[in-house]
């Protein structure tokens, strides 16, 4: 029976797939489409034919894809006009955006892995897809192989998401994990990551949090049925994280992770808002995200009815990312065969993004203070003046230096503004010799 | 704009929802539908109206649902004829099956949480849904709130699943976790689980693995595009797991978990087959599933392109299960509004289920042996006679008894048949005083 089903499916007119880009992800997509031809046909009900692959330069060896040379072209504009499904894995804003819009105009559905473009101009693309009655799918744009956007957009469509906490950048997780496990400093860990292929020659987009911020915008839009774009996301990278920050975290039984955080919060006027931010944070070692090692990704989601969920897996790489792309290809192909469209953009809730200053977070501070009576009182007073309440405080006298002590403070949740002002004021106190670590605390 | 959108949606003719059952899950579904009315309307494009709730007995207090008394009925047969969407949360085979089939005949789509029914008669239900052009969704039937079936059926539709390893029964995970953390025996841990509401008065369905076996059948069907029903699943519960098994696992730096395992394996004739089984197994403490505590569920999936994925969350409870049910309700409602249907049953691969004897697993054995030369040779010979190769062996002399020793053996993968025969033969050897622990080893 399965043989018949396969056979029948193969007889049907194939769906035409155009591949834009044949790099790390594109080459895997091509190869898997060729190798899995019979399975795709059986799963969809019609076979998939790769009708062309657009690249920047012809003449490179593309034999690993299993596709004949004549399918490769530099004329992407023409290619998208003769496809039912366009897979965009070029990356960047242009020409990716124009090609996607052009594909819609010619009636093609689009699958993309392009987080930068979606975070910058998602709403325009969703609208264009809708206007032309075609699909736009982008599971691979966040957290690579991990099924995450479909669960948020569909499985949790009957629930209300409270928080999304994600490790969505493999490079920075690799760097922070090495700093934690070896005691290395930032620069050294980055070099090692580069040597092993986990970080690019210019690691800025990763270590400064741009990549994670684009993903945070996509996640927040889906989780909160609102429009969030990259410029709405508060962003701090990990280049200022020191070996001593990581050690301080370890002393608190915490690890430092670069997190993409999307949270529903109360606004000062009582309404609902969302905080969307990317920054390094301490999380307790007992938190499910703490054990995410090396370049793996994981996303923790808390929803009103579902409770705490976690999704874990490889966040990048050719084949893992292609897995997500191909899941989307099957979905849009099934719509071609059976009718219907995937869920449209849902932005009805239209929640405002809170400015970082109004976002409520917790802080960890480690201070070098003079070891004399009254120091704690002065420090505590500065907190109280800004309405920040202290959750935990610990003072240790340095073994080798009886005149100074270390004061470690963890606050309750307060606005980032109040916390920032408190830290500045404390740094100026006479009794404070220096502020050795300041970091936000998440995950409780 | 969001206010307008909500308003417009509310003006549209509502979709009629019939709820069958109003117990743990049904009451949560009802309450969340009432509380979230505006959000459902905005997310779907049309409001959802609960037109009736079928229960066994009228006259109970159902005010927690927020629904008026007159909606409750004992006439489920009539109720399903006047709904667009039927939510079946009665459980069991009948009358659930007849009601679902009747709903299809009257043109309604169905959302169910009923693993027992799907594992027994899934294919018939899928066919009936297809024949009537309606949807059958069942995300809540496996692993409660965790988005799992949608990822398997849709996100991984372009990939090939190799293995699914799942902790899909909260009761048994709670019991095994307590045995591990406190050293308690099975009976004591079950009593405690009962006292805390984690186990039912009659815990048979959970501790003997029936519940997990139904879920394994559902998972294997989806993962391998094949038809697997409950009787195909090899099943062993945890009632024979002793405190000393758990201790032995701990000594190996392992934990004991009840796993639902679905694996693609080579048949003896070279073709592909699948092994679908539920049994307690040792897994290394470093495995992502090992840290799943208490009554939580988690499912580990390995796919060719995606690599290793894990999904984690609450596997049961009213609200968590309702979250999954309501995600499905939104999906089928969106199809009503926008056209189309969810993906049909995909069973084209039609892979045969291997008999347990031909399934390849690894074994752990702990033997009390006489402490004299030649014992290891005799034991090793028994393994080799059955073609089972030993991966690891450790011998320790009991401190208090110089005449006996403990021999711990871990094998490489071999057929379950060969392993069973080896264990029986070893038990009969003169030099073996007793076999104190035998358990399968998974997760490497
Ligand atoms: N790599 C990952 O692990 C990963 C993970 C998740 C998401 N993504 C996303 O996937 C997308 C692709 O990433 P990648 O790593 O595969 O990139 P890549 O290796 O740099 O490949 C880019 C491909 O696009 C082609 N290309 C560039 N400019 C073009 C143009 N103007 N017209 C036609 N083709 C053009 C290149 O052609 P040539 O071959 O001729 O240079 C190359 O084949 C990006 O949006 C990225 O963010 C990647
Ligand atoms: N509980 C969980 O955490 C969980 C998790 C995942 C999946 N599920 C699945 O969800 C389903 C429901 O479970 P549950 O725990 O909610 O069960 P439950 O608490 O026992 O509730 C069953 C409901 O069905 C009603 N009912 C029983 N027989 C009926 C009949 N012949 N006609 C009409 N109504 C009838 C009962 O009415 P009365 O109220 O009058 O008794 C009750 O409201 C099952 O398939 C279960 O496997 C449950």
């Amino acid at each position: 029976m399965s043989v018949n089903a396969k056979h029948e499916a193969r007889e049907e007119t194939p769906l035409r797939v155009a591949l834009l880009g044949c790099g790390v992800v594109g080459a895997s997509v091509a190869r898997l489409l060729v190798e899995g031809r019979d399975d795709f046909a059986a799963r969809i009900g019609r076979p998939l034919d790769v009708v062309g692959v657009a690249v920047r330069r012809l003449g490179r060896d593309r034999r690993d894809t299993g596709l004949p040379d004549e399918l490769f072209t530099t004329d992407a504009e023409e290619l998208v006009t003769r496809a039912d499904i366009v897979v965009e894995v070029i990356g960047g804003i242009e020409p990716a955006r124009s090609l996607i819009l052009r594909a819609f105009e010619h009636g093609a559905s689009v699958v993309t892995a392009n987080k930068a473009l979606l975070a910058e101009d998602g709403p325009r693309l969703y609208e264009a897809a809708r206007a032309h009655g075609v699909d736009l799918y982008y599971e691979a744009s966040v957290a690579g192989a991990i099924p995450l956007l479909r669960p948020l957009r569909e499985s949790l469509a009957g629930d209300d998401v409270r928080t999304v906490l994600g490790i969505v950048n493999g490079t920075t997780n690799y760097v922070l994990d090495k700093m934690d496990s070896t005691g290395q400093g930032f620069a050294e860990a980055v070099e090692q990551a580069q040597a092993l292929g986990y970080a690019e020659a210019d690691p800025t987009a990763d270590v400064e949090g741009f990549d994670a911020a684009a993903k945070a915008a996509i996640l927040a839009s889906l989780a909160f049925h609102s429009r969030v774009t990259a410029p709405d996301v508060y962003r701090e990278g990990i280049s200022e994280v020191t070996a001593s920050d990581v050690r301080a975290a370890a002393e608190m039984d915490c690890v430092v992770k670069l997190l993409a955080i999307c949270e529903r919060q109360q606004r000062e006027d009582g309404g609902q808002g969302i905080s969307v931010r990317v920054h390094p944070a301490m999380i307790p070692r007992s938190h499910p995200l703490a054990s995410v090692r090396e370049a793996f990704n994981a996303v923790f989601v808390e929803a009103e009815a579902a409770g705490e969920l976690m999704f874990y897996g490889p966040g990048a790489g050719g084949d893992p990312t292609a897995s997500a792309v191909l899941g989307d290809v099957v979905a849009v192909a099934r719509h071609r065969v059976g009718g219907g469209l995937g869920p449209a953009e849902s932005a009805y809730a239209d929640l405002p993004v809170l400015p970082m200053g109004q976002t409520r977070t917790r802080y960890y501070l480690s201070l070098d203070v003079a070891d004399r009576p009254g120091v704690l009182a002065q420090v505590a007073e500065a907190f109280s003046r800004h309405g920040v309440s202290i959750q935990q405080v610990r003072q240790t006298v340095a073994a080798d230096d009886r005149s100074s002590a270390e004061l470690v403070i963890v606050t309750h949740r307060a606005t980032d503004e109040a916390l920032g002002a408190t830290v500045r004021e404390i740094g100026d106190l006479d009794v404070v010799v220096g502020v050795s670590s300041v970091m936000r605390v998440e995950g409780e």
Side-chain angles (χ1 to χ4, degrees), chain A residues 297-332:
Chain A
N297 280 199
V299 178
F300 180 82
V301 178
E302 202 184 333
E304 294 296 335
E308 301 186 345
L309 305 171
M310 195 171 81
F311 305 82
Y312 168 93
D319 278 11
T321 308
S323 169
V325 166
L326 290 169
D328 282 354
V329 167
V330 171
V332 308

Side-chain angles (χ1 to χ4, degrees), chain A residues 153-234:
Chain A
R153 182 157 90 148
E154 304 185 37
S155 309
L156 291 168
D159 204 335
D160 286 310
V161 174
R162 212 182 284 159
T163 313
V164 178
L165 276 188
I167 296 173
V168 293
N169 180 274
T171 304
T172 46
N173 200 60
Y174 184 89
V175 168
L176 292 170
D177 185 31
K178 287 303 142 199
M179 289 173 74
D180 180 55
S181 61
T182 66
Q184 283 174 346
F186 171 77
E188 207 182 335
V190 168
E191 258 174 50
Q192 202 188 316
Q194 285 169 320
L196 291 167
Y198 287 115
E200 307 205 15
D202 175 1
T204 314
D206 293 315
V207 302
E208 296 304 345
F210 290 99
D211 174 77
K215 291 163 176 171
I218 296 170
L219 290 173
S221 303
L222 290 174
F224 302 118
H225 302 269
S226 296
R227 286 188 168 179
V228 180
T229 58
D232 297 325
V233 182
Y234 173 84

Side-chain angles (χ1 to χ4, degrees), chain A residues 20 54 73-82 95 98-99 102-103 106:
Chain A
L20 310 183
T73 173
T74 54
D75 193 351
E77 295 230 341
E78 184 274 332
L79 177 59
V80 300
T81 65
R82 48 183 176 92
S98 305
L99 290 169
R102 195 173 157 83
H106 285 83

Side-chain angles (χ1 to χ4, degrees), chain A residues 21-25 54-57 60 62 89-91 95 113-115 140 316-317 321:
Chain A
C22 193
V24 176
V25 181
V55 293
R56 198 166 24 189
R57 296 151 297 181
R60 297 180 104 192
R62 316 268 186 187
V89 281
I90 293 176
N114 195 331
K115 57 223 139 199
T321 308

Side-chain angles (χ1 to χ4, degrees), chain A residues 204-280:
Chain A
T204 314
D206 293 315
V207 302
E208 296 304 345
F210 290 99
D211 174 77
K215 291 163 176 171
I218 296 170
L219 290 173
S221 303
L222 290 174
F224 302 118
H225 302 269
S226 296
R227 286 188 168 179
V228 180
T229 58
D232 297 325
V233 182
Y234 173 84
R235 182 190 49 75
E236 257 176 55
I238 64 164
S239 56
E240 316 268 281
V241 176
T242 64
S244 101
D245 289 332
V246 172
R247 234 178 359 252
E251 273 163 28
M252 300 283 298
D253 216 17
C254 283
V255 286
V256 178
K257 294 288 185 190
L258 182 71
L259 297 179
I261 302 171
C262 317
E263 247 177 339
R264 191 186 284 273
Q265 292 195 352
Q266 198 100 29
R267 288 202 311 262
E268 275 165 14
D269 66 7
Q272 295 273 303
I274 47 184
S275 167
V276 191
R277 54 195 204 268
V278 168
H279 56 70

